[in-house]
Amino acid sequence: MPVNLRNRHLISLKHHTPEEINYLLDLSTDLKNKKRAGIKGNLLERKNVALIFEKPSTRTRCAFTVAAIDEGGHPEYLGKNDIQLGHKEDVADTARVLGRMFDGIEFRGFSQQVVEDLAKYAGVPVWNGLTDDYHPTQVLADFLTIRENFGRLKGIKLVYVGDGRNNVANSLMIGAAKMGMHFVIGSPKELFPDPAECEQIAKDCESGATITVTDDPKAAVKGADAIYTDVWASMGEEAKAAERKALLKPYQVNKELIEATGNDDVIFLHCLPAVKGNEVTEDVFESRHARQFDEAENRMHTIKAVMVASIGNF
Ligand code: CP
Ligand code: NVA
């Protein structure tokens, strides 16, 4: 069956099949090549997209903005103090108004329920640009980067070390399970992912995929093809920074942890922004293993693919 993502939301990756994820990655590569060839597109011409940001952003905001403009679209940034959402107007009403004016809506904020309600009421595709629970557009960029390095996703051992229950870890687990990868979380027990969520994801996973959760960082990274980390305190958790620093110190990605992979060609990934000296050392961040800036660039190509696939002119 040919893949058709027209008018589809991107809420968490849970509702996307492996074929649909591969389709988005293939389209991302095509759009990346097109941009590199200097070809200006019109796939989003006459399309207006609303970009709602309750939390700050560099990559996601810029990726949506540049991606829309590259293909002739119009992005409209709506910061948390610019609109009534959550202050003077409920989500359902804001969704119905924006849906009358815009062709698609990106939302970054705290509550997953808000992105789900926007999707329920807007009548146009809604894309999750990060909530407390999930960060699906990030994982598409991560997977494109992995595919560019290894030529495949299936069978790749992707190890995430750090806060094992944050939005990035959750979305990586969903994506990796769907794509037949070996996904490992190395995290202190206090920060293990939700067991019910793990069980559900493991039940739905593609044949060959495995999910492992351990509190032993060195055992976690053994044999890794890619080692991934994220900040120890996510946006909204600033008050927990000191406590997390103490808890997560053994999970820092440093030279020793890279060596513990036993793989001289392991790649290092980070969604960014990074707190160097916490989750990753400066030397690893600047090492030949590091791919975080390819990953950051790929945010734009993959987000462009998400918008083109759901609202593009073709
Ligand atoms: N990785 C990521 O989402 O970065 P921003 O917070 O800068 O958008
Ligand atoms: N887990 C991080 C990801 C930032 C892109 C956060 O939510 O702050």
Side-chain angles (χ1 to χ4, degrees):
M1 268 254 291
V3 170
N4 181 356
L5 287 171
R6 290 202 80 71
N7 295 319
R8 281 280 296 280
H9 305 299
L10 178 61
I11 301 297
S12 71
L13 274 186
K14 276 187 189 166
H15 310 292
H16 282 62
T17 64
E19 293 71 29
E20 288 168 345
I21 293 170
N22 269 327
Y23 172 87
L24 287 172
L25 298 179
D26 291 344
L27 182 57
S28 306
T29 301
D30 291 346
L31 292 165
K32 185 170 181 174
N33 291 337
K34 178 177 169 185
K35 173 142 179 150
R36 295 217 162 149
I39 302 166
K40 174 97 182 97
N42 58 7
L43 292 168
L44 296 171
E45 208 169 279
R46 297 184 313 281
K47 302 294 179 184
N48 295 295
V49 294
L51 309 180
I52 307 175
F53 282 85
E54 283 182 345
K55 288 178 178 174
S57 166
T58 300
R59 280 143 288 270
T60 310
R61 173 183 179 173
C62 297
F64 271 98
T65 304
V66 172
I69 292 171
D70 274 355
E71 288 295 333
H74 168 78
E76 187 66 29
Y77 177 78
L78 303 167
K80 70 174 187 317
N81 298 320
D82 299 333
I83 54 171
Q84 315 281 18
L85 178 70
H87 310 292
K88 285 173 87 174
E89 188 162 57
D90 65 32
V91 180
D93 290 357
T94 299
R96 286 180 286 184
V97 171
L98 295 181
R100 299 280 183 116
M101 300 184 193
F102 289 93
D103 300 285
I105 301 169
E106 179 275 355
F107 174 80
R108 163 173 290 201
F110 295 87
S111 163
Q112 180 67 16
Q113 193 59 51
V114 171
V115 83
E116 289 180 12
D117 287 347
L118 284 171
K120 184 167 168 193
Y121 292 107
V124 296
V126 170
W127 310 298
N128 180 353
L130 179 148
T131 62
D132 289 346
D133 297 344
Y134 300 111
H135 196 5
T137 63
Q138 177 66 51
V139 170
L140 293 174
D142 304 336
F143 285 4
L144 182 62
T145 311
I146 292 172
R147 229 173 65 158
E148 287 172 346
N149 278 272
F150 301 105
R152 67 196 161 92
L153 293 174
K154 207 172 174 60
I156 291 296
K157 181 167 182 179
L158 170 63
V159 181
Y160 174 96
V161 281
D163 175 5
R165 31 101 284 163
N166 79 7
N167 40 20
V168 170
N170 288 342
S171 286
L172 282 171
M173 180 158 61
I174 297 167
K178 284 187 186 268
M179 304 316 286
M181 300 168 82
H182 300 298
F183 184 62
V184 182
I185 290 190
S187 159
K189 287 200 172 72
E190 295 87 330
L191 297 173
F192 273 6
D194 174 19
E197 174 100 346
C198 286
E199 200 180 313
Q200 188 57 48
I201 291 168
K203 242 202 289 182
D204 295 342
C205 76
E206 271 300 283
S207 68
T210 57
I211 297 173
T212 310
V213 181
T214 172
D215 64 352
D216 180 340
K218 288 206 170 137
V221 301
K222 199 168 167 12
D225 295 299
I227 180 164
Y228 195 123
T229 192
D230 183 12
V231 288
W232 287 346
S234 287
M235 288 180 272
E237 296 183 330
E238 289 74 11
K240 294 193 173 133
E243 170 196 323
R244 290 283 172 76
K245 205 169 167 165
L247 195 59
L248 282 158
K249 186 76 185 157
Y251 300 85
Q252 181 187 64
V253 183
N254 49 32
K255 214 163 151 263
E256 208 184 318
L257 206 65
I258 291 282
E259 275 162 15
T261 65
N263 176 6
D264 197 39
D265 296 322
V266 64
I267 65 166
F268 169 75
L269 298 169
H270 193 309
C271 55
L272 304 179
V275 183
K276 287 174 266 181
N278 269 12
E279 73 272 8
V280 59
T281 53
E282 182 90 33
D283 58 347
V284 169
F285 195 83
E286 301 297 339
S287 73
R288 65 186 173 81
H289 303 286
R291 298 291 187 278
Q292 67 276 10
F293 296 113
D294 293 338
E295 202 181 347
E297 180 191 329
N298 283 340
R299 297 296 310 286
M300 201 279 287
H301 305 298
T302 45
I303 280 172
K304 194 186 279 177
V306 168
M307 290 195 286
V308 165
S310 53
I311 63 166
N313 305 308
F314 62 91

